[in-house]
Amino acid sequence: DEPFDSSRMNRYPNIPDFNTWKQNVDTLRDFAINRPYWQRQHIVDYYSLSGTSVLNLDIENEGMGSIEIMEVIEIENSSSGIYFKDLPVSLKAVPKVGYRFAGWTGAVEDTLDQISLTLTADTVNLAAKFETIDLHIVPAIITADTILKKADSPWYATGDIIVDSNTTLTIESSVELLMPEKACIIVYGRLLIE
């Protein structure tokens, strides 16, 4: 229990004593704890759904990728969530640089990275598997003259590439350089693209 602080009672002149105040706080606490359940139940009733389902998502080999849920939520560790039955849940496996998606196991056995799953059971288990691939990664900071050769293409960047001063980054013709969406090449030295 919390220690009693009489200054709290002065803020609430309509509450006669500490026990009444504590009962009111407990009522608010119970409301907050139970609200998600009742919100979901109202939606189930209003739309005539058949209930909710717990979706347990596992990422085998954590650190190799993530799962994108409904194009909104991205999880990088195993996680559980409550979803509505009868409605499709879109899932996308997103490998990190240096890895590839190897497949789904559990409720769905598939190698497509993007799936749609309609939940019907009370609990659904699904795992995304990732595996290592051999690739050439461009250093984040280039401090010595560097050539990206076509023979080693494609090249991967994990983020921004910084070409340090007094350093040259040469990219041979037809080299494929794959970078994250908002990454860029910052040049303080020289950049030669053949």
Side-chain angles (χ1 to χ4, degrees):
D1 279 342
E2 303 171 24
F4 177 67
D5 181 0
S6 61
S7 66
R8 292 183 183 178
M9 295 306 299
N10 296 334
R11 286 188 265 169
Y12 308 104
N14 296 332
I15 298 177
D17 56 39
F18 176 72
N19 286 335
T20 304
W21 175 81
K22 186 161 177 10
Q23 286 174 342
N24 289 344
V25 169
D26 289 343
T27 299
L28 291 172
R29 211 175 263 139
D30 289 344
F31 174 81
I33 290 169
N34 293 315
R35 183 161 173 73
Y37 168 80
W38 288 111
Q39 282 296 123
R40 285 189 288 272
Q41 191 57 49
H42 289 307
I43 292 170
V44 165
D45 294 342
Y46 186 82
Y47 291 104
S48 300
L49 301 173
S50 58
T52 59
S53 179
V54 175
L55 176 59
N56 297 313
L57 294 173
D58 183 36
I59 299 177
E60 293 184 16
N61 307 321
E62 287 184 4
M64 293 184 176
S66 61
I67 299 174
E68 193 177 272
I69 306 167
M70 304 294 288
E71 299 180 12
V72 177
I73 302 167
E74 187 170 356
I75 61 165
E76 294 189 1
N77 302 312
S78 298
S79 178
S80 293
I82 299 173
Y83 296 87
F84 295 106
K85 290 181 179 178
D86 311 319
L87 299 176
V89 177
S90 66
L91 302 167
K92 182 177 181 182
V94 182
K96 289 187 176 181
V97 173
Y99 306 97
R100 74 172 165 222
F101 175 64
W104 298 100
T105 60
V108 174
E109 303 285 332
D110 204 333
T111 56
L112 293 175
D113 64 340
Q114 192 161 355
I115 60 171
S116 180
L117 178 64
T118 300
L119 306 175
T120 55
D122 291 337
T123 303
V124 176
N125 299 310
L126 186 64
K129 292 173 31 177
F130 297 93
E131 59 190 18
T132 306
I133 58 173
D134 291 327
L135 52 87
H136 296 92
I137 297 178
V138 180
I141 301 174
I142 297 177
T143 57
D145 290 348
T146 302
I147 300 173
L148 303 185
K149 297 182 179 186
K150 179 183 179 193
D152 297 326
S153 192
W155 288 86
Y156 293 85
T158 58
D160 290 343
I161 300 171
I162 299 173
V163 181
D164 214 354
S165 60
N166 299 318
T167 303
T168 301
L169 171 61
T170 303
I171 302 175
E172 289 185 351
S173 177
S174 300
V175 163
E176 185 179 6
L177 176 58
L178 302 170
M179 300 178 69
E181 191 172 312
K182 295 186 180 182
C184 57
I185 300 175
I186 302 167
V187 181
Y188 295 110
R190 279 181 21 161
L191 174 64
L192 297 176
I193 301 175
E194 299 177 342

Short mmCIF file of all heavy atoms in Angstrom, two decimals, residues 78-144:
data_model
loop_
_atom_site.label_atom_id
_atom_site.label_comp_id
_atom_site.label_asym_id
_atom_site.label_seq_id
_atom_site.Cartn_x
_atom_site.Cartn_y
_atom_site.Cartn_z
N SER A 78 10.49 -11.39 -30.72
CA SER A 78 9.26 -12.16 -30.62
C SER A 78 8.22 -11.36 -29.84
O SER A 78 8.56 -10.64 -28.90
CB SER A 78 9.55 -13.49 -29.93
OG SER A 78 10.45 -14.23 -30.73
N SER A 79 6.95 -11.47 -30.24
CA SER A 79 5.92 -10.62 -29.67
C SER A 79 4.55 -11.29 -29.79
O SER A 79 4.35 -12.16 -30.63
CB SER A 79 5.90 -9.29 -30.43
OG SER A 79 4.90 -8.44 -29.97
N SER A 80 3.62 -10.87 -28.93
CA SER A 80 2.24 -11.35 -29.00
C SER A 80 1.31 -10.15 -29.07
O SER A 80 1.60 -9.11 -28.50
CB SER A 80 1.89 -12.17 -27.75
OG SER A 80 2.62 -13.36 -27.73
N GLY A 81 0.20 -10.33 -29.75
CA GLY A 81 -0.79 -9.27 -29.84
C GLY A 81 -2.18 -9.86 -30.01
O GLY A 81 -2.33 -11.02 -30.39
N ILE A 82 -3.18 -9.05 -29.71
CA ILE A 82 -4.57 -9.48 -29.84
C ILE A 82 -5.15 -8.86 -31.11
O ILE A 82 -5.07 -7.64 -31.30
CB ILE A 82 -5.39 -9.08 -28.60
CG1 ILE A 82 -4.80 -9.73 -27.35
CG2 ILE A 82 -6.86 -9.46 -28.78
CD1 ILE A 82 -5.42 -9.27 -26.04
N TYR A 83 -5.70 -9.72 -31.97
CA TYR A 83 -6.27 -9.28 -33.24
C TYR A 83 -7.67 -9.86 -33.37
O TYR A 83 -8.02 -10.83 -32.70
CB TYR A 83 -5.38 -9.75 -34.41
CG TYR A 83 -4.02 -9.11 -34.35
CD1 TYR A 83 -2.98 -9.69 -33.62
CD2 TYR A 83 -3.76 -7.91 -35.00
CE1 TYR A 83 -1.74 -9.09 -33.54
CE2 TYR A 83 -2.53 -7.31 -34.93
CZ TYR A 83 -1.52 -7.90 -34.19
OH TYR A 83 -0.29 -7.30 -34.12
N PHE A 84 -8.46 -9.28 -34.26
CA PHE A 84 -9.83 -9.75 -34.46
C PHE A 84 -9.86 -10.96 -35.38
O PHE A 84 -9.15 -10.99 -36.40
CB PHE A 84 -10.70 -8.62 -35.02
CG PHE A 84 -10.86 -7.48 -34.08
CD1 PHE A 84 -10.21 -6.28 -34.29
CD2 PHE A 84 -11.67 -7.61 -32.96
CE1 PHE A 84 -10.35 -5.23 -33.40
CE2 PHE A 84 -11.82 -6.56 -32.06
CZ PHE A 84 -11.15 -5.37 -32.29
N LYS A 85 -10.68 -11.92 -35.02
CA LYS A 85 -10.91 -13.07 -35.90
C LYS A 85 -11.68 -12.59 -37.12
O LYS A 85 -12.35 -11.55 -37.08
CB LYS A 85 -11.71 -14.14 -35.17
CG LYS A 85 -10.95 -14.85 -34.07
CD LYS A 85 -11.80 -15.92 -33.42
CE LYS A 85 -11.05 -16.66 -32.34
NZ LYS A 85 -11.88 -17.67 -31.68
N ASP A 86 -11.60 -13.35 -38.18
CA ASP A 86 -12.35 -13.12 -39.42
C ASP A 86 -11.80 -11.97 -40.27
O ASP A 86 -12.27 -11.76 -41.38
CB ASP A 86 -13.84 -12.83 -39.16
CG ASP A 86 -14.49 -13.83 -38.23
OD1 ASP A 86 -14.19 -15.04 -38.36
OD2 ASP A 86 -15.29 -13.41 -37.37
N LEU A 87 -10.84 -11.21 -39.76
CA LEU A 87 -10.26 -10.09 -40.52
C LEU A 87 -8.82 -10.43 -40.88
O LEU A 87 -8.07 -10.90 -40.02
CB LEU A 87 -10.31 -8.79 -39.72
CG LEU A 87 -11.70 -8.31 -39.31
CD1 LEU A 87 -11.59 -7.07 -38.44
CD2 LEU A 87 -12.55 -8.03 -40.53
N PRO A 88 -8.42 -10.18 -42.12
CA PRO A 88 -7.04 -10.52 -42.51
C PRO A 88 -6.02 -9.62 -41.83
O PRO A 88 -6.24 -8.42 -41.65
CB PRO A 88 -7.04 -10.32 -44.03
CG PRO A 88 -8.18 -9.41 -44.31
CD PRO A 88 -9.20 -9.62 -43.23
N VAL A 89 -4.91 -10.23 -41.46
CA VAL A 89 -3.77 -9.51 -40.89
C VAL A 89 -2.63 -9.65 -41.88
O VAL A 89 -2.23 -10.77 -42.22
CB VAL A 89 -3.36 -10.10 -39.52
CG1 VAL A 89 -2.13 -9.40 -38.97
CG2 VAL A 89 -4.51 -10.03 -38.52
N SER A 90 -2.14 -8.54 -42.40
CA SER A 90 -1.02 -8.62 -43.35
C SER A 90 0.29 -8.58 -42.59
O SER A 90 0.47 -7.80 -41.66
CB SER A 90 -1.10 -7.49 -44.38
OG SER A 90 -0.89 -6.24 -43.78
N LEU A 91 1.18 -9.47 -42.99
CA LEU A 91 2.49 -9.60 -42.36
C LEU A 91 3.56 -9.60 -43.45
O LEU A 91 3.37 -10.20 -44.51
CB LEU A 91 2.59 -10.90 -41.56
CG LEU A 91 1.55 -11.09 -40.46
CD1 LEU A 91 1.55 -12.53 -39.97
CD2 LEU A 91 1.83 -10.13 -39.31
N LYS A 92 4.65 -8.93 -43.15
CA LYS A 92 5.76 -8.90 -44.11
C LYS A 92 7.06 -9.14 -43.35
O LYS A 92 7.34 -8.46 -42.36
CB LYS A 92 5.82 -7.56 -44.84
CG LYS A 92 6.93 -7.49 -45.86
CD LYS A 92 6.91 -6.17 -46.61
CE LYS A 92 8.03 -6.15 -47.66
NZ LYS A 92 8.06 -4.86 -48.35
N ALA A 93 7.84 -10.10 -43.81
CA ALA A 93 9.15 -10.37 -43.23
C ALA A 93 10.17 -9.46 -43.92
O ALA A 93 10.23 -9.40 -45.15
CB ALA A 93 9.53 -11.83 -43.44
N VAL A 94 10.93 -8.71 -43.12
CA VAL A 94 11.88 -7.74 -43.65
C VAL A 94 13.29 -8.10 -43.16
O VAL A 94 13.62 -7.87 -42.00
CB VAL A 94 11.52 -6.31 -43.19
CG1 VAL A 94 12.48 -5.30 -43.79
CG2 VAL A 94 10.07 -5.98 -43.54
N PRO A 95 14.11 -8.69 -44.04
CA PRO A 95 15.47 -9.04 -43.61
C PRO A 95 16.36 -7.81 -43.50
O PRO A 95 16.17 -6.83 -44.22
CB PRO A 95 15.95 -9.97 -44.73
CG PRO A 95 15.15 -9.60 -45.92
CD PRO A 95 13.83 -9.08 -45.41
N LYS A 96 17.32 -7.88 -42.58
CA LYS A 96 18.33 -6.83 -42.49
C LYS A 96 19.41 -7.10 -43.52
O LYS A 96 19.48 -8.20 -44.09
CB LYS A 96 18.93 -6.80 -41.08
CG LYS A 96 17.97 -6.27 -40.04
CD LYS A 96 18.65 -6.11 -38.71
CE LYS A 96 17.68 -5.49 -37.70
NZ LYS A 96 18.32 -5.30 -36.39
N VAL A 97 20.26 -6.10 -43.74
CA VAL A 97 21.35 -6.26 -44.70
C VAL A 97 22.23 -7.42 -44.24
O VAL A 97 22.59 -7.52 -43.07
CB VAL A 97 22.17 -4.96 -44.81
CG1 VAL A 97 23.40 -5.17 -45.66
CG2 VAL A 97 21.32 -3.84 -45.38
N GLY A 98 22.52 -8.32 -45.16
CA GLY A 98 23.35 -9.48 -44.85
C GLY A 98 22.55 -10.73 -44.58
O GLY A 98 23.12 -11.80 -44.31
N TYR A 99 21.21 -10.62 -44.66
CA TYR A 99 20.35 -11.76 -44.39
C TYR A 99 19.24 -11.81 -45.44
O TYR A 99 18.97 -10.84 -46.13
CB TYR A 99 19.73 -11.64 -42.99
CG TYR A 99 20.77 -11.46 -41.92
CD1 TYR A 99 21.07 -10.20 -41.44
CD2 TYR A 99 21.45 -12.55 -41.41
CE1 TYR A 99 22.05 -10.02 -40.47
CE2 TYR A 99 22.42 -12.39 -40.44
CZ TYR A 99 22.72 -11.12 -39.97
OH TYR A 99 23.69 -10.96 -39.02
N ARG A 100 18.60 -12.97 -45.51
CA ARG A 100 17.44 -13.09 -46.40
C ARG A 100 16.35 -13.86 -45.65
O ARG A 100 16.63 -14.63 -44.73
CB ARG A 100 17.79 -13.75 -47.71
CG ARG A 100 18.01 -15.23 -47.61
CD ARG A 100 18.15 -15.84 -48.99
NE ARG A 100 18.70 -17.17 -48.84
CZ ARG A 100 19.63 -17.69 -49.59
NH1 ARG A 100 20.12 -17.00 -50.58
NH2 ARG A 100 20.06 -18.90 -49.37
N PHE A 101 15.13 -13.64 -46.09
CA PHE A 101 14.00 -14.32 -45.50
C PHE A 101 13.98 -15.75 -46.02
O PHE A 101 14.06 -16.00 -47.22
CB PHE A 101 12.70 -13.59 -45.86
CG PHE A 101 11.47 -14.29 -45.38
CD1 PHE A 101 11.22 -14.44 -44.03
CD2 PHE A 101 10.54 -14.79 -46.29
CE1 PHE A 101 10.08 -15.09 -43.58
CE2 PHE A 101 9.40 -15.42 -45.85
CZ PHE A 101 9.17 -15.58 -44.49
N ALA A 102 13.86 -16.73 -45.08
CA ALA A 102 13.90 -18.14 -45.47
C ALA A 102 12.52 -18.80 -45.45
O ALA A 102 12.34 -19.86 -46.04
CB ALA A 102 14.84 -18.90 -44.53
N GLY A 103 11.54 -18.19 -44.76
CA GLY A 103 10.20 -18.76 -44.78
C GLY A 103 9.45 -18.60 -43.47
O GLY A 103 10.03 -18.24 -42.44
N TRP A 104 8.15 -18.84 -43.54
CA TRP A 104 7.27 -18.82 -42.38
C TRP A 104 7.06 -20.25 -41.91
O TRP A 104 6.95 -21.17 -42.72
CB TRP A 104 5.90 -18.23 -42.74
CG TRP A 104 5.91 -16.82 -43.22
CD1 TRP A 104 5.84 -16.40 -44.52
CD2 TRP A 104 5.96 -15.65 -42.42
NE1 TRP A 104 5.86 -15.03 -44.57
CE2 TRP A 104 5.93 -14.53 -43.29
CE3 TRP A 104 6.04 -15.41 -41.05
CZ2 TRP A 104 5.97 -13.23 -42.84
CZ3 TRP A 104 6.08 -14.10 -40.60
CH2 TRP A 104 6.04 -13.03 -41.49
N THR A 105 6.95 -20.44 -40.60
CA THR A 105 6.60 -21.74 -40.05
C THR A 105 5.53 -21.55 -38.99
O THR A 105 5.43 -20.49 -38.38
CB THR A 105 7.81 -22.46 -39.42
OG1 THR A 105 8.33 -21.66 -38.36
CG2 THR A 105 8.90 -22.72 -40.43
N GLY A 106 4.74 -22.59 -38.78
CA GLY A 106 3.66 -22.51 -37.79
C GLY A 106 2.32 -22.54 -38.50
O GLY A 106 2.05 -23.44 -39.29
N ALA A 107 1.50 -21.53 -38.25
CA ALA A 107 0.16 -21.47 -38.85
C ALA A 107 0.20 -21.39 -40.37
O ALA A 107 -0.74 -21.79 -41.05
CB ALA A 107 -0.61 -20.27 -38.29
N VAL A 108 1.29 -20.87 -40.91
CA VAL A 108 1.47 -20.77 -42.35
C VAL A 108 2.85 -21.31 -42.69
O VAL A 108 3.83 -20.96 -42.04
CB VAL A 108 1.36 -19.30 -42.83
CG1 VAL A 108 1.70 -19.18 -44.30
CG2 VAL A 108 -0.01 -18.74 -42.55
N GLU A 109 2.92 -22.17 -43.69
CA GLU A 109 4.20 -22.67 -44.19
C GLU A 109 4.35 -22.09 -45.59
O GLU A 109 3.68 -22.52 -46.51
CB GLU A 109 4.20 -24.21 -44.24
CG GLU A 109 3.92 -24.88 -42.91
CD GLU A 109 5.09 -24.83 -41.95
OE1 GLU A 109 6.26 -24.78 -42.40
OE2 GLU A 109 4.84 -24.84 -40.72
N ASP A 110 5.20 -21.06 -45.72
CA ASP A 110 5.32 -20.38 -47.00
C ASP A 110 6.69 -19.71 -47.08
O ASP A 110 7.29 -19.40 -46.04
CB ASP A 110 4.22 -19.32 -47.14
CG ASP A 110 3.90 -18.98 -48.58
OD1 ASP A 110 4.79 -19.11 -49.46
OD2 ASP A 110 2.76 -18.58 -48.85
N THR A 111 7.16 -19.47 -48.29
CA THR A 111 8.43 -18.77 -48.47
C THR A 111 8.23 -17.35 -49.02
O THR A 111 9.20 -16.63 -49.19
CB THR A 111 9.36 -19.55 -49.43
OG1 THR A 111 8.67 -19.77 -50.67
CG2 THR A 111 9.78 -20.87 -48.81
N LEU A 112 6.97 -16.97 -49.27
CA LEU A 112 6.70 -15.58 -49.68
C LEU A 112 6.93 -14.67 -48.47
O LEU A 112 6.48 -14.97 -47.37
CB LEU A 112 5.26 -15.43 -50.17
CG LEU A 112 4.90 -16.15 -51.47
CD1 LEU A 112 3.42 -16.00 -51.74
CD2 LEU A 112 5.72 -15.59 -52.62
N ASP A 113 7.60 -13.55 -48.70
CA ASP A 113 7.90 -12.66 -47.57
C ASP A 113 6.66 -11.91 -47.07
O ASP A 113 6.60 -11.52 -45.92
CB ASP A 113 9.01 -11.67 -47.92
CG ASP A 113 8.64 -10.71 -49.03
OD1 ASP A 113 7.70 -11.00 -49.80
OD2 ASP A 113 9.30 -9.66 -49.14
N GLN A 114 5.67 -11.74 -47.93
CA GLN A 114 4.46 -11.03 -47.53
C GLN A 114 3.26 -11.97 -47.61
O GLN A 114 3.02 -12.59 -48.65
CB GLN A 114 4.23 -9.81 -48.43
CG GLN A 114 3.18 -8.88 -47.90
CD GLN A 114 3.29 -7.49 -48.53
OE1 GLN A 114 4.18 -7.19 -49.29
NE2 GLN A 114 2.34 -6.64 -48.21
N ILE A 115 2.54 -12.07 -46.49
CA ILE A 115 1.37 -12.96 -46.44
C ILE A 115 0.20 -12.23 -45.79
O ILE A 115 0.38 -11.23 -45.10
CB ILE A 115 1.66 -14.26 -45.66
CG1 ILE A 115 2.06 -13.95 -44.21
CG2 ILE A 115 2.70 -15.10 -46.36
CD1 ILE A 115 2.16 -15.17 -43.32
N SER A 116 -0.99 -12.76 -46.04
CA SER A 116 -2.20 -12.28 -45.37
C SER A 116 -2.78 -13.48 -44.63
O SER A 116 -2.97 -14.54 -45.21
CB SER A 116 -3.19 -11.74 -46.40
OG SER A 116 -4.35 -11.28 -45.75
N LEU A 117 -3.04 -13.27 -43.34
CA LEU A 117 -3.49 -14.36 -42.49
C LEU A 117 -4.81 -13.98 -41.85
O LEU A 117 -4.91 -12.95 -41.19
CB LEU A 117 -2.41 -14.60 -41.42
CG LEU A 117 -2.63 -15.65 -40.36
CD1 LEU A 117 -2.71 -17.03 -40.99
CD2 LEU A 117 -1.48 -15.60 -39.35
N THR A 118 -5.85 -14.81 -42.07
CA THR A 118 -7.13 -14.60 -41.40
C THR A 118 -7.17 -15.51 -40.19
O THR A 118 -7.08 -16.73 -40.32
CB THR A 118 -8.30 -14.89 -42.35
OG1 THR A 118 -8.20 -14.01 -43.48
CG2 THR A 118 -9.63 -14.64 -41.66
N LEU A 119 -7.28 -14.92 -39.01
CA LEU A 119 -7.22 -15.66 -37.76
C LEU A 119 -8.58 -16.28 -37.46
O LEU A 119 -9.60 -15.60 -37.51
CB LEU A 119 -6.79 -14.74 -36.63
CG LEU A 119 -5.48 -13.97 -36.87
CD1 LEU A 119 -5.23 -12.99 -35.75
CD2 LEU A 119 -4.32 -14.92 -37.03
N THR A 120 -8.57 -17.57 -37.14
CA THR A 120 -9.82 -18.26 -36.79
C THR A 120 -9.71 -18.95 -35.44
O THR A 120 -10.72 -19.17 -34.78
CB THR A 120 -10.20 -19.30 -37.86
OG1 THR A 120 -9.11 -20.20 -38.05
CG2 THR A 120 -10.53 -18.62 -39.19
N ALA A 121 -8.50 -19.30 -35.01
CA ALA A 121 -8.30 -19.98 -33.73
C ALA A 121 -8.10 -18.94 -32.61
O ALA A 121 -7.81 -17.78 -32.88
CB ALA A 121 -7.08 -20.90 -33.81
N ASP A 122 -8.25 -19.38 -31.38
CA ASP A 122 -8.04 -18.48 -30.24
C ASP A 122 -6.59 -18.06 -30.10
O ASP A 122 -6.28 -16.96 -29.67
CB ASP A 122 -8.52 -19.13 -28.94
CG ASP A 122 -10.03 -19.28 -28.89
OD1 ASP A 122 -10.73 -18.53 -29.61
OD2 ASP A 122 -10.52 -20.14 -28.13
N THR A 123 -5.68 -18.96 -30.47
CA THR A 123 -4.25 -18.67 -30.42
C THR A 123 -3.61 -19.15 -31.72
O THR A 123 -3.88 -20.27 -32.16
CB THR A 123 -3.57 -19.38 -29.23
OG1 THR A 123 -4.22 -18.98 -28.02
CG2 THR A 123 -2.10 -19.03 -29.15
N VAL A 124 -2.80 -18.29 -32.32
CA VAL A 124 -2.12 -18.63 -33.57
C VAL A 124 -0.63 -18.36 -33.38
O VAL A 124 -0.25 -17.28 -32.92
CB VAL A 124 -2.67 -17.79 -34.75
CG1 VAL A 124 -1.90 -18.07 -36.02
CG2 VAL A 124 -4.16 -18.06 -34.95
N ASN A 125 0.19 -19.34 -33.73
CA ASN A 125 1.65 -19.21 -33.62
C ASN A 125 2.26 -19.17 -35.01
O ASN A 125 1.93 -19.99 -35.87
CB ASN A 125 2.23 -20.39 -32.83
CG ASN A 125 1.69 -20.43 -31.42
OD1 ASN A 125 1.70 -19.44 -30.71
ND2 ASN A 125 1.20 -21.59 -31.02
N LEU A 126 3.16 -18.21 -35.21
CA LEU A 126 3.80 -18.05 -36.51
C LEU A 126 5.22 -17.56 -36.28
O LEU A 126 5.46 -16.70 -35.44
CB LEU A 126 3.01 -17.04 -37.35
CG LEU A 126 3.45 -16.83 -38.79
CD1 LEU A 126 3.26 -18.11 -39.61
CD2 LEU A 126 2.67 -15.70 -39.43
N ALA A 127 6.15 -18.12 -37.04
CA ALA A 127 7.55 -17.72 -36.92
C ALA A 127 8.12 -17.35 -38.28
O ALA A 127 7.80 -17.97 -39.29
CB ALA A 127 8.37 -18.86 -36.31
N ALA A 128 8.96 -16.32 -38.29
CA ALA A 128 9.69 -15.91 -39.49
C ALA A 128 11.13 -16.37 -39.33
O ALA A 128 11.75 -16.14 -38.29
CB ALA A 128 9.64 -14.40 -39.66
N LYS A 129 11.63 -17.05 -40.36
CA LYS A 129 13.00 -17.54 -40.32
C LYS A 129 13.85 -16.72 -41.29
O LYS A 129 13.44 -16.47 -42.42
CB LYS A 129 13.05 -19.02 -40.71
CG LYS A 129 12.41 -19.92 -39.68
CD LYS A 129 12.28 -21.37 -40.08
CE LYS A 129 13.32 -21.91 -40.99
NZ LYS A 129 13.17 -23.34 -41.28
N PHE A 130 15.03 -16.32 -40.82
CA PHE A 130 15.98 -15.59 -41.66
C PHE A 130 17.29 -16.38 -41.67
O PHE A 130 17.58 -17.14 -40.76
CB PHE A 130 16.23 -14.19 -41.10
CG PHE A 130 15.00 -13.32 -41.09
CD1 PHE A 130 14.19 -13.26 -39.97
CD2 PHE A 130 14.66 -12.58 -42.21
CE1 PHE A 130 13.05 -12.46 -39.96
CE2 PHE A 130 13.52 -11.79 -42.20
CZ PHE A 130 12.72 -11.72 -41.08
N GLU A 131 18.08 -16.17 -42.73
CA GLU A 131 19.38 -16.83 -42.81
C GLU A 131 20.42 -15.88 -43.39
O GLU A 131 20.08 -14.92 -44.09
CB GLU A 131 19.28 -18.11 -43.64
CG GLU A 131 18.80 -17.92 -45.06
CD GLU A 131 18.48 -19.23 -45.77
OE1 GLU A 131 18.31 -20.27 -45.10
OE2 GLU A 131 18.42 -19.21 -47.01
N THR A 132 21.66 -16.17 -43.11
CA THR A 132 22.78 -15.35 -43.55
C THR A 132 23.02 -15.55 -45.04
O THR A 132 22.88 -16.66 -45.55
CB THR A 132 24.06 -15.73 -42.78
OG1 THR A 132 23.78 -15.65 -41.39
CG2 THR A 132 25.21 -14.83 -43.11
N ILE A 133 23.41 -14.48 -45.72
CA ILE A 133 23.83 -14.57 -47.12
C ILE A 133 25.20 -13.91 -47.26
O ILE A 133 25.56 -13.04 -46.46
CB ILE A 133 22.80 -13.92 -48.09
CG1 ILE A 133 22.57 -12.45 -47.75
CG2 ILE A 133 21.51 -14.67 -48.10
CD1 ILE A 133 21.72 -11.71 -48.76
N ASP A 134 25.94 -14.35 -48.23
CA ASP A 134 27.23 -13.74 -48.51
C ASP A 134 27.01 -12.50 -49.36
O ASP A 134 26.29 -12.54 -50.36
CB ASP A 134 28.14 -14.70 -49.27
CG ASP A 134 28.57 -15.87 -48.41
OD1 ASP A 134 28.74 -15.68 -47.19
OD2 ASP A 134 28.75 -16.97 -48.96
N LEU A 135 27.60 -11.40 -48.94
CA LEU A 135 27.48 -10.18 -49.70
C LEU A 135 28.62 -9.24 -49.38
O LEU A 135 29.38 -9.45 -48.44
CB LEU A 135 26.14 -9.49 -49.45
CG LEU A 135 25.71 -9.22 -48.01
CD1 LEU A 135 26.24 -7.92 -47.52
CD2 LEU A 135 24.22 -9.24 -47.94
N HIS A 136 28.73 -8.23 -50.19
CA HIS A 136 29.77 -7.22 -50.01
C HIS A 136 29.14 -5.96 -49.44
O HIS A 136 28.25 -5.38 -50.06
CB HIS A 136 30.44 -6.93 -51.36
CG HIS A 136 31.15 -8.12 -51.92
ND1 HIS A 136 30.56 -9.00 -52.78
CD2 HIS A 136 32.40 -8.60 -51.69
CE1 HIS A 136 31.41 -9.96 -53.08
NE2 HIS A 136 32.53 -9.75 -52.43
N ILE A 137 29.63 -5.57 -48.26
CA ILE A 137 29.09 -4.40 -47.58
C ILE A 137 30.07 -3.24 -47.70
O ILE A 137 31.27 -3.40 -47.44
CB ILE A 137 28.79 -4.72 -46.10
CG1 ILE A 137 27.71 -5.80 -46.02
CG2 ILE A 137 28.37 -3.46 -45.35
CD1 ILE A 137 27.34 -6.24 -44.62
N VAL A 138 29.56 -2.09 -48.09
CA VAL A 138 30.37 -0.87 -48.18
C VAL A 138 30.57 -0.34 -46.77
O VAL A 138 29.60 -0.22 -46.01
CB VAL A 138 29.66 0.19 -49.05
CG1 VAL A 138 30.50 1.45 -49.14
CG2 VAL A 138 29.34 -0.35 -50.43
N PRO A 139 31.80 -0.02 -46.39
CA PRO A 139 32.02 0.54 -45.05
C PRO A 139 31.23 1.85 -44.87
O PRO A 139 31.05 2.61 -45.82
CB PRO A 139 33.52 0.82 -45.00
CG PRO A 139 34.11 0.05 -46.13
CD PRO A 139 33.03 -0.13 -47.15
N ALA A 140 30.78 2.11 -43.65
CA ALA A 140 30.02 3.33 -43.38
C ALA A 140 30.89 4.57 -43.55
O ALA A 140 30.43 5.61 -44.03
CB ALA A 140 29.44 3.28 -41.97
N ILE A 141 32.16 4.46 -43.16
CA ILE A 141 33.11 5.57 -43.33
C ILE A 141 34.29 5.05 -44.13
O ILE A 141 34.97 4.11 -43.72
CB ILE A 141 33.58 6.13 -41.97
CG1 ILE A 141 32.39 6.61 -41.15
CG2 ILE A 141 34.59 7.25 -42.18
CD1 ILE A 141 32.74 7.04 -39.74
N ILE A 142 34.52 5.66 -45.28
CA ILE A 142 35.62 5.24 -46.14
C ILE A 142 36.80 6.15 -45.84
O ILE A 142 36.75 7.35 -46.10
CB ILE A 142 35.19 5.30 -47.62
CG1 ILE A 142 34.04 4.30 -47.83
CG2 ILE A 142 36.37 5.02 -48.54
CD1 ILE A 142 33.46 4.27 -49.19
N THR A 143 37.86 5.55 -45.27
CA THR A 143 39.04 6.32 -44.84
C THR A 143 40.26 6.06 -45.71
O THR A 143 41.30 6.68 -45.51
CB THR A 143 39.38 5.98 -43.37
OG1 THR A 143 39.60 4.58 -43.26
CG2 THR A 143 38.25 6.42 -42.44
N ALA A 144 40.15 5.11 -46.65
CA ALA A 144 41.24 4.82 -47.59
C ALA A 144 40.63 4.70 -48.97
O ALA A 144 39.44 4.39 -49.12
CB ALA A 144 41.95 3.53 -47.19
#
